[in-house]
Amino acid sequence: MTNRALNFNAGPAALPLEVLQQAQEQFVDYNGAGMSIMEMSHRSAIFEQVNSETQQLMRKLYGIPDSYKVLFLQGGASTQFSMLPMNFLQAGKPAAYVMTGSWASKALKEAQLIGETVVAASSEADKYNRIPELSSIVVPENASYLHFTSNETIEGTQFAQFPEVPDHIPLIADMSSDIMSRQVDISQFGIIYAGAQKNLGPSGVTIVILREDLAASNPKHVPTMLRYDTHAKADSLYNTPPSFSVYMVNLMLKWIEAKGGVAALEQYNLDKTKLIYDAIDQSGGFYRGFAQTGSRSAMNITFRLQSEELEKRFVKESEQHGFIGLKGHRSVGGLRASTYNAVPYENCKVLAEFMDDFQRRNG
């Protein structure tokens, strides 16, 4: 297939061609069942096997300890913004939030509807072009939890290292845009959550990795579907799950395994991202990176040109060359290339070459 777009969309994002082709082969008839995975009962032995295998693959590839639950939920990370404080924000114990950009702000806004919150650190004064120094994060001793966004998709910043908290305070991370793009120590966290549609599959399923003690029981006044213990006890099958999306995550995890696992993928991501950052850094100021160097994301590369007119020309010409998704988010403008797990190295190389050529013609 030669007509594949050069897809740099921020999400839903690129999926590997071989994963899409395998899904295509099984779309009408899954493993001889005579029907699609989408047509099956979620109570069937076949789907329960897919559900279980997907959990086990995540555990194996991401190093998830046995003391954690792996859940496949619905509603995206945006629903988690509400579920977390509904279940874990206790009276008299504020929830602490690190403010790093658009998604951290949305998470805080939802928590403020539920109970008391504090801002543990913020880079708003710098227009969120950096990650706050870890030493600047101040967490109240009686905090219900500390929440942070590991990668800001819109601003293009990413935590290189994670905050540390006392053992009695759960560390909660929104990893929607960098989950399984690099190795992490899961035991640092109480909860990790992520929409799958950037690095792990299509939209429709939200991955939640949470420590068993946090999954054990939640406030009974919280509606049933919004309690973690509901889904933990039912193995993510309390109600009809996003079955096709879970199946696609299964195929993505097998693809990651075939690529050499998360460690190999981490290096691959750094190599391909470097191509684009080098094009920015070696442009003599023609391209200007938005994020400060030490806070740069390996998933979302944000940059500007000298004028909005030139940026519009860049976007228009890039689309004529087969590139998709290089326009920056509407809230901040500029340009952005999202280089998630499934974006090929070759596509990043072609983009870097296009950027060099565009500079020669417009510099």
Side-chain angles (χ1 to χ4, degrees):
M1 184 179 291
T2 58
N3 61 340
R4 293 279 289 166
L6 297 163
N7 186 356
F8 289 91
N9 272 326
L15 289 167
L17 179 58
E18 52 266 51
V19 166
L20 293 170
Q21 289 173 331
Q22 185 176 352
Q24 182 182 43
E25 290 172 7
Q26 298 179 326
F27 190 76
V28 174
D29 184 359
Y30 177 74
N31 286 358
M35 55 182 162
S36 169
I37 196 87
M38 290 188 292
E39 301 174 278
M40 293 180 186
S41 166
H42 63 291
R43 306 295 182 196
S44 68
I46 294 177
F47 183 75
E48 286 194 2
Q49 192 273 333
V50 171
N51 187 65
S52 175
E53 182 184 62
T54 308
Q55 291 178 16
Q56 293 307 314
L57 278 167
M58 279 215 69
R59 289 186 182 280
K60 174 184 175 184
L61 292 169
Y62 215 25
I64 301 173
D66 292 340
S67 55
Y68 285 73
K69 293 283 188 180
V70 178
L71 305 180
F72 302 129
L73 306 184
Q74 300 183 64
S78 295
T79 297
Q80 295 302 306
F81 296 164
S82 302
M83 275 184 73
L84 288 163
M86 289 173 77
N87 285 275
F88 302 117
L89 177 44
Q90 303 173 48
K93 295 184 175 182
Y97 282 73
V98 182
M99 300 306 296
T100 48
S102 302
W103 292 108
S105 299
K106 289 184 177 183
L108 174 63
K109 185 178 179 181
E110 294 302 302
Q112 288 171 335
L113 298 174
I114 307 299
E116 183 185 355
T117 63
V118 296
V119 174
S122 176
S123 57
E124 184 177 9
D126 294 311
K127 298 182 178 179
Y128 296 128
N129 73 348
R130 64 176 180 86
I131 296 296
E133 296 288 337
L134 296 187
S135 59
S136 73
I137 299 175
V138 179
V139 184
E141 183 64 25
N142 67 335
S144 287
Y145 56 81
L146 174 66
H147 177 284
F148 74 101
T149 306
S150 61
N151 184 89
E152 285 284 0
T153 316
I154 293 173
E155 289 80 10
T157 59
Q158 185 178 33
F159 277 82
Q161 294 178 301
F162 302 130
E164 293 186 6
V165 290
D167 290 341
H168 68 280
I169 299 177
L171 182 63
I172 299 178
D174 174 1
M175 291 192 181
S176 289
S177 49
D178 63 354
I179 191 170
M180 293 191 79
S181 67
R182 57 177 174 172
Q183 299 177 96
V184 301
D185 178 5
I186 304 294
S187 66
Q188 282 184 264
F189 299 92
I191 302 174
I192 292 171
Y193 67 95
Q197 68 273 11
K198 300 175 189 292
N199 277 307
L200 283 183
S203 59
V205 60
T206 307
I207 314 294
V208 177
I209 302 166
L210 78 163
R211 221 171 52 219
E212 283 194 344
D213 63 302
L214 296 173
S217 62
N218 300 125
K220 300 307 179 210
H221 68 268
V222 175
T224 303
M225 279 295 292
L226 298 176
R227 295 208 312 265
Y228 292 99
D229 60 352
T230 298
H231 303 286
K233 291 171 185 174
D235 205 25
S236 300
L237 298 173
Y238 176 79
N239 70 323
T240 306
S243 52
F244 187 75
S245 295
V246 173
Y247 156 75
M248 289 297 293
V249 171
N250 182 286
L251 297 187
M252 269 298 297
L253 291 170
K254 289 174 179 175
W255 176 83
I256 291 172
E257 188 172 37
K259 293 281 285 186
V262 176
L265 201 55
E266 178 176 6
Q267 187 59 54
Y268 180 69
N269 286 330
L270 292 173
D271 290 344
K272 70 192 188 191
T273 302
K274 184 177 185 296
L275 294 169
I276 303 169
Y277 278 125
D278 281 352
I280 294 170
D281 294 340
Q282 296 168 12
S283 70
F286 182 79
Y287 299 107
R288 292 175 288 109
F290 174 75
Q292 291 187 18
T293 304
S295 297
R296 282 176 166 177
S297 168
M299 296 283 99
N300 310 99
I301 302 166
T302 49
F303 57 103
R304 302 299 304 251
L305 293 172
Q306 279 79 9
S307 68
E308 289 189 13
E309 180 186 356
L310 199 56
E311 290 171 352
K312 289 177 181 177
R313 188 185 309 167
F314 182 96
V315 171
K316 183 177 180 181
E317 289 193 19
S318 73
E319 290 172 349
Q320 292 169 349
H321 283 77
F323 294 97
I324 301 293
L326 292 176
K327 185 178 180 181
H329 191 273
R330 61 186 179 276
S331 66
V332 297
L335 302 162
R336 172 177 60 178
S338 296
T339 55
Y340 301 125
N341 284 345
V343 174
Y345 179 92
E346 293 74 20
N347 289 17
C348 295
K349 187 171 185 290
V350 173
L351 175 56
E353 291 168 353
F354 171 78
M355 291 170 67
D356 289 343
D357 179 62
F358 185 85
Q359 180 181 353
R360 278 194 296 272
R361 291 183 288 105
N362 295 276

